[in-house]
Amino acid sequence: MFEPHAFDNAPAVMAALRRAAAANLVPPPDMLPSVWSEANIRIPVGNAIPGPISFANAPYQRGMVDVVKEPGIRRADYMTGAQLGKTTVQQCITGYFIAHEPRSQIFVQPTQGDVQTFLETKLRPMLDANPSISRKMAKQRGREGVNNSRIISYNGGWLMFSWAGSPKTLRGRSAPITQADEVDGMAATEEGDPVELLAQRAATFGDMAISTRSSTPTVKGASRIEAGFLEGDQRRYYVPCPHCGEAQYLRWEQISWSGRNSTGFEDADLDLEGDHDPDTAQYYCEHCGVGWDDGQRIAAIRGAEAAGHGWKAAKPFKGHASFHAPEWLSTFRRLRAIVQSYFDKLRIGDLQSFMNVSAAETFEERGEQANADGLIARAEEYAAPVPAGATVLTAGVDMQADRLEVEIVGWGKGEESWSVEHVVLWGDPDAGDVWDELEDLLSQTWQHESGAQLSITAAAVDTGGTGGNTQSAYDWLRGKTGRRIFAVKGQGGWGKPIAAAPSRKQSGKTKRKVDLFLVGADEAKLTVMRRLAVAKPGPGYCHFPVGREPEYFHQMTAEKLVTRYVKGFPVREWHKTRTRNEALDCRVYALAALKIASPSFRIAESRIARATGNLPPPANDNPIDEQLPGDVEHAPPEPKAPPPAKETTGEEKPAAPKQTGPVVKARRVLKSSRVGGARW
């Protein structure tokens, strides 16, 4: 029989076991993250209000934190302005999944420098100020786990840091909790969108996976956080009016002051003039029209949830929550300071910064974009396939994975243009048949209003493509530079010529060379868009025939020039407003073909006149030049006596097809003094 030792202390041993079980075996209480945060998190010194966190000061943050515990939640997007505490929200979520409900996490910032700044100024000061969290984490340079600038381990998981430009890091590990900060500042990598790569890191955890993404928005149509907000249930924070009690979410349009002339951001330029007094700024109820001063506005925000309001969604919740919080929802900002910031940005032409950072809205440039409906409305009847004003034809060819799209454009004085034909040649560029169809198309002639038949002066063929067909384009284009069929490739960047001098491109196993002309796509699109906006026929005006399908016009106007600010500097970029833009690309390449060939409109007009008999041929100052191949073909005089017949071998060549009028062709480049080296 076991005899207890004289020094046994059974009560003490049992008490120790109970304490150990309570600390390590009993599951944590079911507690909302906001409740846990107020009990455990202290805001470190250096912030506006250090000390224990209290969501009474910013009640809208409570719902943004607690969303990670909503049943069925998969993703939360926070589209917020400045001074709204989105970093605090994500830090509370991080601490909750470290100390209360341990799970592994990945936190991503736009750049490596952002990661270091976040660690040194945000996360580590927060951990140092909160022993209840830090004591569960591995010590730096300790033996119980890892704690460095890349990963911190803790009981039940680890927290890894990464940045958007490091897809290798994002591939390295998987975690059920992923958080991304300032997603609109993340650049795409060679391996794809870093935000989507991060989402894949949690995919294996199924229903346990939760993703949060936060950012101030940027440019409309290119903002990840706006796209996420629109995909989610679109929550806005409703507050009651202190006067009539009607609930509403706070909007810029309802903020007014002495001297305001604008009604919104669309007519903000009206506020550049007049005598303004920001100190008179108030929020005006959209129901009763009574103004609220800052004290009433802040009290309405703090009492919103107690009055049964707060976050309300515009769409049904399907696992994706999204929040919009502008700066005037902050209880720490005063309206006079917000209005003053508006004036400061407006005066330097940087309204985008105010809309992004204060209003938490995307900025849409009122810039270079043509209107498809306007182009359709001004389509006209052509008297002939090629109207009288057009004297030169060029072709622009855009290559896609399953087709070639071609536009034939007629050009006249001042580069006034007429869209002659838009053709889609279906077929795989790697198969070859579609190139034969292109050859046939480029060999055709088009009837001019004068009765002459015009051939294509020059064609520019896209070699970039999207389906990996570049080599097929090179194979077909070999040796065709002399026929003025040019290989081109679009190149981004401002200040580049529409058509630069060609480079010698090695192509294929035989190492045959292809002349590749780089097209300044940004400048060319700007030229096209500005010409589409010309209202009256004349230099630069663009004519279109009636009967052209509406899709063509929507593709022609599918891009818009917008300006966004990167670290305070304006950057102009083209953004698609719809998926397909092949018609615009075709027009850009047709313009590039015109620039490369650089024909003389005076000479082209003279040829048409001579071919149709409207003018006598000019004096032959250069008889050799007059006999160049491809010049105006006149019917030869009938000979007095037929020449003796010549013996032939093999089959005779088929007769050329009859033309309905004299043929006007461009002189070929083969004998031009401009051919040779890079002298284009």
Side-chain angles (χ1 to χ4, degrees):
M1 184 177 177
F2 175 74
E3 293 290 341
H5 195 275
F7 296 98
D8 279 346
N9 190 347
V13 171
M14 293 304 297
L17 290 174
R18 283 193 295 269
R19 288 195 302 271
N24 301 289
L25 300 180
V26 176
D30 190 9
M31 184 183 299
L32 287 173
S34 62
V35 177
W36 176 87
S37 297
E38 289 184 313
N40 294 275
I41 291 185
R42 295 179 61 87
I43 303 299
V45 175
N47 288 270
I49 303 180
I53 191 170
S54 173
F55 291 115
N57 293 323
Y60 49 83
Q61 293 179 355
R62 185 179 288 108
M64 299 167 73
V65 172
D66 288 341
V67 70
V68 296
K69 291 297 290 181
E70 287 189 22
I73 186 67
R74 296 179 291 101
R75 173 177 165 185
D77 284 288
Y78 307 115
M79 184 168 71
T80 75
Q83 307 297 324
L84 271 299
K86 62 181 177 60
T87 302
T88 299
V89 168
Q90 289 186 297
Q91 283 183 314
C92 288
I93 294 172
T94 300
Y96 181 82
F97 287 120
I98 290 175
H100 187 73
E101 192 176 309
R103 300 189 199 179
S104 294
Q105 307 176 63
I106 300 176
F107 203 107
V108 177
Q109 295 276 351
T111 68
Q112 187 174 10
D114 292 331
V115 172
Q116 291 301 121
T117 301
F118 173 73
L119 280 172
E120 295 170 6
T121 65
K122 300 288 185 179
L123 186 64
R124 292 204 182 278
M126 189 272 286
L127 296 177
D128 292 341
N130 293 276
S132 62
I133 302 175
S134 59
R135 66 168 172 257
K136 296 190 176 183
M137 307 174 70
K139 305 300 181 184
Q140 288 185 313
R141 295 178 297 276
R143 296 183 179 181
E144 68 275 16
V146 181
N147 188 332
N148 54 40
S149 61
R150 297 292 298 277
I151 190 169
I152 300 174
S153 60
Y154 48 83
N155 296 334
W158 41 261
L159 172 62
M160 188 179 76
F161 307 99
S162 183
W163 59 96
S166 178
K168 180 179 179 180
T169 305
L170 294 179
R171 288 198 314 267
R173 295 196 179 215
S174 297
I177 308 299
T178 59
Q179 300 199 73
D181 189 21
E182 292 298 344
V183 294
D184 273 18
M186 296 183 178
T189 69
E190 294 180 356
E191 298 187 23
D193 190 322
V195 179
E196 296 305 319
L197 292 175
L198 179 62
Q200 290 299 315
R201 296 299 87 206
T204 56
F205 291 89
D207 293 341
M208 294 178 59
I210 300 174
S211 171
T212 73
R213 304 174 186 183
S214 70
S215 186
T216 52
T218 51
V219 178
K220 192 173 187 62
S223 171
R224 291 188 182 94
I225 198 64
E226 184 189 49
F229 173 75
L230 296 176
E231 291 170 5
D233 58 3
Q234 300 179 19
R235 303 182 189 189
R236 290 183 170 90
Y237 200 79
Y238 282 74
V239 302
C241 173
H243 304 283
C244 68
E246 292 290 334
Q248 59 208 279
Y249 66 89
L250 305 184
R251 301 185 299 126
W252 171 250
E253 290 78 6
Q254 300 303 122
I255 298 175
S256 191
W257 59 90
S258 176
R260 177 170 184 175
N261 299 313
S262 64
T263 58
F265 292 122
E266 295 78 10
D267 57 353
D269 291 345
L270 296 176
D271 290 330
L272 287 171
E273 299 179 358
D275 186 15
H276 299 274
D277 185 3
D279 288 333
T280 62
Q282 289 191 339
Y283 186 90
Y284 288 85
C285 175
E286 62 185 52
H287 299 284
C288 67
V290 179
W292 317 348
D293 59 26
D294 276 323
Q296 293 171 319
R297 176 182 61 88
I298 293 171
I301 293 171
R302 288 178 173 171
E305 293 179 347
H309 305 297
W311 290 109
K312 295 182 181 180
K315 293 170 56 179
F317 175 69
K318 297 181 179 179
H320 185 177
S322 58
F323 300 82
H324 176 240
E327 189 177 14
W328 32 92
L329 189 58
S330 171
T331 57
F332 302 106
R333 291 284 281 169
R334 298 298 182 264
L335 290 181
R336 65 174 180 274
I338 294 173
V339 171
Q340 185 61 54
S341 175
Y342 167 72
F343 288 140
D344 294 341
K345 300 295 191 300
L346 194 61
R347 290 191 184 103
I348 63 173
D350 190 9
L351 181 63
Q352 178 182 350
S353 293
F354 183 80
M355 290 184 65
N356 294 164
V357 177
S358 293
E361 295 181 14
T362 53
F363 178 76
E364 185 172 12
E365 176 71 31
R366 295 168 290 175
E368 309 287 350
Q369 184 185 32
N371 179 269
D373 294 333
L375 298 181
I376 294 173
R378 78 183 200 195
E380 58 197 82
E381 287 279 0
Y382 289 177
V386 183
T391 57
V392 172
L393 297 183
T394 67
V397 184
D398 182 51
M399 181 171 65
Q400 298 293 320
D402 58 352
R403 66 191 183 280
L404 300 177
E405 297 208 14
V406 188
E407 185 183 24
I408 311 299
V409 182
W411 302 90
K413 292 180 180 178
E415 295 190 4
E416 188 174 0
S417 65
W418 287 260
S419 180
V420 174
E421 192 169 356
H422 180 252
V423 182
V424 179
L425 305 176
W426 292 97
D428 184 356
D430 288 339
D433 293 345
V434 71
W435 296 108
D436 294 336
E437 293 185 35
L438 178 61
E439 178 77 58
D440 293 340
L441 178 65
L442 298 182
S443 300
Q444 292 180 17
T445 59
W446 283 261
Q447 185 177 357
H448 191 263
E449 190 173 339
S450 66
Q453 294 286 328
L454 298 189
S455 63
I456 292 177
T457 297
V461 181
D462 170 37
T463 62
T466 57
N469 309 115
T470 299
Q471 187 58 49
S472 297
Y474 286 160
D475 292 342
W476 185 79
L477 285 161
R478 286 174 190 157
K480 290 184 171 61
T481 302
R483 293 173 53 194
R484 291 189 177 184
I485 301 177
F486 307 118
V488 298
K489 182 178 181 180
Q491 183 182 43
W494 296 99
K496 299 181 184 297
I498 292 177
S503 61
R504 308 295 286 181
K505 182 73 177 179
Q506 296 290 341
S507 174
K509 296 181 180 179
T510 58
K511 300 297 182 183
R512 297 187 66 179
K513 296 177 180 178
V514 173
D515 293 307
L516 182 64
F517 293 81
L518 295 179
V519 174
D522 290 336
E523 296 285 356
K525 289 177 182 177
L526 183 58
T527 299
V528 170
M529 286 299 176
R530 287 179 173 172
R531 290 180 177 179
L532 291 175
V534 175
K536 297 181 179 180
Y541 185 83
C542 300
H543 299 262
F544 299 97
V546 295
R548 183 67 57 81
E549 63 278 5
E551 175 64 18
Y552 165 85
F553 295 99
H554 289 295
Q555 290 184 21
M556 182 67 74
T557 58
E559 294 194 33
K560 183 174 186 177
L561 182 63
V562 300
T563 302
R564 65 186 183 93
Y565 284 79
V566 179
K567 296 183 178 179
F569 294 93
V571 178
R572 294 188 300 166
E573 296 176 335
W574 289 100
H575 289 282
K576 286 186 179 181
T577 56
R578 64 197 315 272
T579 304
R580 295 190 57 185
N581 67 337
E582 291 86 346
L584 175 59
D585 288 342
C586 287
R587 178 57 65 97
V588 165
Y589 297 137
L591 175 62
L594 182 73
K595 296 296 186 182
I596 297 171
S598 189
S600 168
F601 292 110
R602 180 183 59 80
I603 294 175
E605 184 178 345
S606 175
R607 286 176 181 159
I608 293 173
R610 287 157 45 198
T612 55
N614 294 330
L615 287 176
N620 187 3
D621 297 330
N622 186 353
I624 296 178
D625 187 59
E626 284 292 311
Q627 300 172 12
L628 286 176
D631 207 345
V632 178
E633 296 181 0
H634 299 282
E638 188 173 333
K640 295 180 180 179
K646 295 182 180 180
E647 294 183 2
T648 60
T649 59
E651 297 182 359
E652 295 183 358
K653 294 183 179 179
K658 294 182 179 181
Q659 303 291 346
T660 59
V663 179
V664 180
K665 293 185 178 180
R667 289 176 292 180
R668 299 302 182 196
V669 185
L670 290 173
K671 295 186 179 181
S672 172
S673 62
R674 290 186 296 169
V675 177
R679 294 187 299 121
W680 287 84

